[in-house]
Amino acid sequence: MTRTLALLLAAAAATQSMTAPAQTSATVPQPAYSPLFAAEIARAKSGVEASIRAGVHVPVPKDPGGGVTHEQHKRNYRTIFEGGQLYRLTGDVRYRDHVRDLLLAYADLYPKLGPHPAAANQVPGRLFWQSLNDSVFLVNAAQGYGAIRDTLPAADRTRIDDNMIRPMARFLSDGSPEVINRIHNHATWAAAGVGLSGYLLGDRDLVDKALLGLDKSGKAGFLRQLDLLFSPDGYYAEGPYYQRYALQPFVVFAAAIAAHDPDRKIFEHRDGIVLKAVRTAIEVTHDGNFLPLNDAMPDKSLRTEELYHAVAIAYAATKDPAFLSIADWQGRSVLTPAGQVMASDLAAGKAKPWPFASRLLGDGPDGEQGALVLLRTKPDPRGPLLVAKNSVQGMGHGHFDRLGWLYYDETGAVVTDYGAARFLNVEAKRGGRYLPENDSWASATVAHNTLVVDEQSHFAGNWKTGEKYPTQQLATALDGPTRYSIAEIGTAYKDVRFRRALLLLDVPGLANPLTLDLLRASSGTKHRYDLPLHFSGHIIDNDIAFTRNLAERPVLGKANGYQHLWVDGEGTKAGKARLTWMQGSRFYSYHMLPPAGARFIVAESGANDPEFNLRREPALIQRLDGAADATFVSLLEPHGEYDASSEAVVASSARVTALEHRREGAADLILVTLVDGRRFAVAVADDVAAGIKHSVTVDGRALAWTGPVGRFDLAKTGAKK
């Protein structure tokens, strides 16, 4: 831990025993805060002042997420946190008194509460429909209360301690063993709330249960969560969306541990896993938006409360100026000493750009249970990004999408993932909970960009089975003009093994990289193989003779997500096929070499959706029936430009004119011809060991390479005009 962080944490801890002067903000000289921190104070003041004007409102809980009482209790815990910090910063007793009055009202209400009346399929809370939200309440309330506690009369402290803080902590620990003893984000929030309360009250029993589990054996609790929920690279088991959500309790409680139990050296635990997790959370974004893997809302970005805390604490711990550029993009800070220092250094011009780069993020506690691979061609947060999802299941929030992929560039998400079927906290949508279509569509394999066998989801749609069988990340290259990920799985289906090589190719003369996809499936029996591509944009052109369903829209299937796909058209084409769409200012051509006999299906999500819960999004499916083995070769080509202001269109036609595939011995050879006649080959060997030498012959020319992938420029053909 750095000396700077130690001083900041000591200052934060000192606020729990500091007696602030009984003054109003008008009588206290205010320091000259940096612009970002001053804006944070102004924002907090606006909210807390509105709460003061409205008076204390602590309703009896009755609503699910998004309901009136739910939202009021959320506002109250924000007011408690912010009001406490404002009192620490300004000494204005109005803030302290309002926080005190809210806490006293909860001290009167809480002992009367039983399980929440709107409880559903989660462990019920007292204030909220699920105990998770109670934990979030306590994490915030404990911090706000800590800023004012020692300035209150003993009688008020006793009421709040004994009727609210301690009972909430006991409910979330001893009263909810099925939550706090899990290895899960719900347990992390619970441990943080219980542990912060323990430090606040001087209750070592609560602290130890939070750190080590209810029996204090270390088999559960916060430290065990750090060991099992993150890979050594800092990648979180449930994916980027829940990494974002879990970060706040991890970093806030870690900061408290560092302040109160410095001998634990929490920021050094497991090779600095807390800080690695913050860095990785930033890496698993595109243009600041988290990759929508597993149960994820696609609109979540680094502009979120969890990351405001995480970035501030990580900067305090490391003084890495790259964190300042993230804070600048966020445009926010937090009302803590760490947030104040971060904002000050940002104003002083100390920021440096975040070094976005290709990353191999091992998954699983040992980092050997597959991986998430991020392939980038430049450090631009908005630049091209190919994502290969070869990770672990992701527990109950995981989707059945092994060996799936996504693609992003300056236009946003191009090859897409649906994420979760949920309208978070929108009461009209089943209380903001996950919708039935989350299971029937969003998590199904056909809703993702990976192989589906016999219209069944991976692992027969059983996530507990999927959790037992990791993906094998076979080979990776993160740099150079040919970046790639090669992975394999043989357990997603009973008798099918499939391997996928995804390559990001920089090609001289092309403004944007190409994505080459080679997927090979093998089995001892015949199957139906479907390979979906979900994309964002409007179809512009294709060279497939589609039979269109104009009068009515049949549904593709009956179960496993197929019941949610309207069929707009079907067609066949021998040899290479192409579909071109436009998104924003760019065109995208998807070139395909499916196995002989395959057909193409253009579909759209939204069928069998009585409550209008699903977004209408397009998909293209390559389908092969009655085959034991199959090889699908596809190439995504971004090209051209559309300028709406000048109505100018440039290069709306594909630059790739030919795509060929050959099986040469123990290697696949893909030949690509461009419109100017240039031709190149990519060879992918079966043996992916790094030092193995391979060779093939193309048009009388011997091509040799070492390792899994080779790439070669070939003789130029006649250019097409």
Side-chain angles (χ1 to χ4, degrees):
M1 181 174 63
T2 65
R3 182 174 181 275
T4 300
L5 180 60
L7 293 173
L8 290 174
L9 293 172
T15 65
Q16 298 181 7
S17 59
M18 176 185 69
T19 301
Q23 298 171 312
T24 66
S25 58
T27 63
V28 180
Q30 299 297 300
Y33 295 115
S34 61
L36 192 65
F37 200 71
E40 204 62 43
I41 291 174
R43 185 179 294 106
K45 281 184 175 180
S46 176
V48 176
E49 294 284 357
S51 182
I52 292 173
R53 290 192 299 271
V56 173
H57 182 35
V58 178
V60 175
K62 67 175 184 177
D63 302 306
V68 174
T69 61
H70 179 97
E71 293 303 309
Q72 183 61 44
H73 291 301
K74 283 176 58 180
R75 283 192 292 271
N76 286 348
Y77 73 62
R78 291 300 306 156
T79 298
I80 292 168
F81 173 80
E82 292 179 343
Q85 305 312 312
L86 287 174
Y87 173 66
R88 177 180 61 81
L89 290 163
T90 69
D92 189 336
V93 296
R94 295 182 310 114
Y95 299 134
R96 180 199 64 188
D97 292 349
H98 187 58
V99 171
R100 175 203 64 200
D101 292 346
L102 280 170
L103 291 167
L104 287 171
Y106 277 106
D108 291 339
L109 173 67
Y110 194 79
K112 305 172 186 176
L113 299 178
H116 195 283
N121 60 343
Q122 299 287 349
V123 176
R126 296 291 189 261
L127 294 174
F128 298 92
W129 70 277
Q130 61 173 345
S131 65
L132 170 63
N133 300 81
D134 286 45
S135 299
V136 177
F137 184 103
L138 186 57
V139 167
N140 283 273
Q143 294 176 82
Y145 182 34
I148 71 165
R149 181 175 181 271
D150 286 351
T151 72
L152 300 181
D156 288 348
R157 290 201 304 271
T158 299
R159 280 177 62 192
I160 297 168
D161 290 355
D162 295 346
N163 292 349
M164 181 201 167
I165 299 294
R166 186 172 281 108
M168 286 193 75
R170 290 296 178 195
F171 164 66
L172 293 169
S173 55
D174 298 318
S176 305
E178 68 274 43
V179 175
I180 198 168
N181 274 346
R182 296 177 68 190
I183 305 300
H184 192 270
N185 75 80
H186 288 208
T188 305
W189 276 101
V194 171
L196 290 172
S197 299
Y199 283 133
L200 179 64
L201 303 178
D203 188 330
R204 193 69 215 182
D205 180 62
L206 287 176
V207 171
D208 289 343
K209 286 178 176 177
L211 289 172
L212 303 170
L214 294 183
D215 64 1
K216 304 180 186 178
S217 69
K219 294 179 181 179
F222 184 77
L223 298 178
R224 192 62 172 158
Q225 292 160 16
L226 282 174
D227 291 342
L228 295 182
L229 283 174
F230 292 101
S231 78
D233 296 315
Y235 180 68
Y236 185 69
E238 295 176 283
Y241 178 84
Y242 278 95
Q243 177 146 358
R244 177 266 325 166
Y245 186 65
L247 264 186
Q248 185 174 350
F250 273 117
V251 297
V252 169
F253 191 28
I257 295 167
H260 292 275
D261 282 330
D263 290 345
R264 284 196 176 274
K265 298 182 179 180
I266 190 64
F267 283 104
E268 299 173 27
H269 180 81
R270 204 181 164 212
D271 195 29
I273 195 65
V274 172
L275 298 174
K276 281 185 179 180
V278 179
R279 293 184 184 278
T280 295
I282 294 169
E283 293 285 349
V284 291
T285 63
H286 182 266
D287 194 20
N289 296 294
F290 287 100
L291 304 178
L293 305 177
N294 297 336
D295 281 348
M297 309 302 293
D299 56 355
K300 281 294 183 182
S301 75
L302 293 169
R303 294 189 178 108
T304 182
E305 190 68 26
E306 298 86 1
L307 265 295
Y308 302 149
H309 283 275
V311 170
I313 290 172
Y315 178 70
T318 65
K319 283 294 185 175
D320 183 345
F323 282 114
L324 297 178
S325 69
I326 301 300
D328 189 38
W329 186 91
Q330 291 172 317
R332 293 287 302 273
S333 182
V334 285
L335 295 179
T336 63
Q340 186 173 352
V341 169
M342 181 185 70
S344 177
D345 285 356
L346 176 61
K350 297 181 180 180
K352 291 186 178 180
W354 188 270
F356 285 100
S358 296
R359 293 286 305 277
L360 171 71
L361 300 171
D363 202 359
D366 57 2
E368 299 297 326
Q369 299 179 42
L372 184 74
V373 182
L374 311 175
L375 300 178
R376 289 183 164 101
T377 59
K378 51 188 175 182
D380 183 354
R382 300 182 65 244
L385 169 61
L386 171 60
V387 181
K389 187 173 185 281
N390 306 325
S391 51
V392 181
Q393 182 66 27
M395 298 190 288
H397 287 298
H399 287 187
F400 302 99
D401 59 349
R402 300 297 178 91
L403 273 61
W405 71 292
L406 306 170
Y407 182 77
Y408 295 80
D409 64 12
E410 294 83 358
T411 71
V414 178
V415 176
T416 62
D417 190 296
Y418 191 90
R422 184 183 189 185
F423 293 80
L424 185 62
N425 285 340
V426 177
E427 188 177 14
K429 289 296 187 181
R430 300 205 178 192
R433 304 181 179 102
Y434 287 103
L435 297 163
E437 290 78 12
N438 199 59
D439 292 327
S440 63
W441 165 252
S443 65
T445 302
V446 74
H448 300 86
N449 307 302
T450 189
L451 185 69
V452 191
V453 179
D454 297 330
E455 299 189 15
Q456 302 291 310
S457 286
H458 296 173
F459 306 106
N462 186 321
W463 73 264
K464 292 183 179 179
T465 302
E467 198 73 10
K468 298 176 183 177
Y469 299 104
T471 310
Q472 294 177 278
Q473 182 68 36
L474 301 177
T476 315
L478 302 179
D479 300 306
T482 305
R483 299 167 173 86
Y484 58 81
S485 162
I486 304 175
E488 185 176 75
I489 191 164
T491 52
Y493 297 103
K494 185 177 181 180
D495 67 338
V496 177
R497 176 172 295 275
F498 63 103
R499 175 182 291 196
R500 191 170 213 169
L502 289 162
L503 303 94
L504 191 62
L505 309 173
D506 273 330
V507 179
L510 297 185
N512 305 286
L514 305 177
T515 297
L516 177 62
D517 175 18
L518 170 66
L519 189 150
R520 292 176 54 203
S522 60
S523 175
T525 56
K526 294 182 178 181
H527 298 279
R528 165 173 283 180
Y529 291 120
D530 286 339
L531 184 60
L533 182 85
H534 299 267
F535 59 93
S536 178
H538 192 92
I539 294 174
I540 297 296
D541 184 31
N542 69 88
D543 60 5
I544 304 165
F546 282 111
T547 300
R548 296 298 309 277
N549 298 314
L550 301 177
E552 58 182 14
R553 300 178 90 188
V555 176
L556 187 56
K558 297 181 178 180
N560 305 314
Y562 284 78
Q563 74 275 26
H564 291 300
L565 284 170
W566 298 114
V567 178
D568 285 329
E570 296 186 63
T572 60
K573 185 174 187 291
K576 185 181 90 69
R578 174 187 52 79
L579 182 79
T580 299
W581 68 87
M582 183 176 72
Q583 173 175 266
S585 61
R586 189 165 293 161
F587 299 90
Y588 300 88
S589 287
Y590 188 57
H591 306 272
M592 296 162 281
L593 277 178
R599 65 185 192 272
F600 306 93
I601 301 169
V602 174
E604 185 180 63
S605 58
N608 289 302
D609 182 20
E611 297 178 7
F612 302 104
N613 287 334
L614 293 176
R615 301 190 301 270
R616 272 51 175 168
E617 296 182 349
L620 174 67
I621 299 173
Q622 301 178 63
R623 168 169 285 183
L624 178 66
D625 279 314
D629 302 328
T631 299
F632 295 86
V633 177
S634 310
L635 182 75
L636 178 67
E637 176 199 354
H639 57 90
E641 182 179 1
Y642 173 75
D643 187 335
S645 61
S646 64
E647 301 179 359
V649 177
V650 177
S652 61
S653 299
R655 307 291 92 186
V656 171
T657 59
L659 183 66
E660 305 167 65
H661 170 247
R662 302 177 189 174
R663 183 70 181 165
E664 298 284 348
D668 287 284
L669 190 68
I670 297 95
L671 303 144
V672 181
T673 304
L674 303 179
V675 70
D676 61 5
R678 285 183 296 152
R679 193 165 176 245
F680 66 89
V682 176
V684 181
D686 294 352
D687 189 336
V688 297
I692 302 298
K693 295 182 178 180
H694 309 276
S695 64
V696 297
T697 300
V698 177
D699 301 336
R701 175 184 171 186
L703 306 178
W705 74 99
T706 302
V709 174
R711 179 172 160 188
F712 312 91
D713 290 327
L714 302 177
K716 190 172 183 179
T717 65
K720 294 185 178 181
K721 296 182 180 180

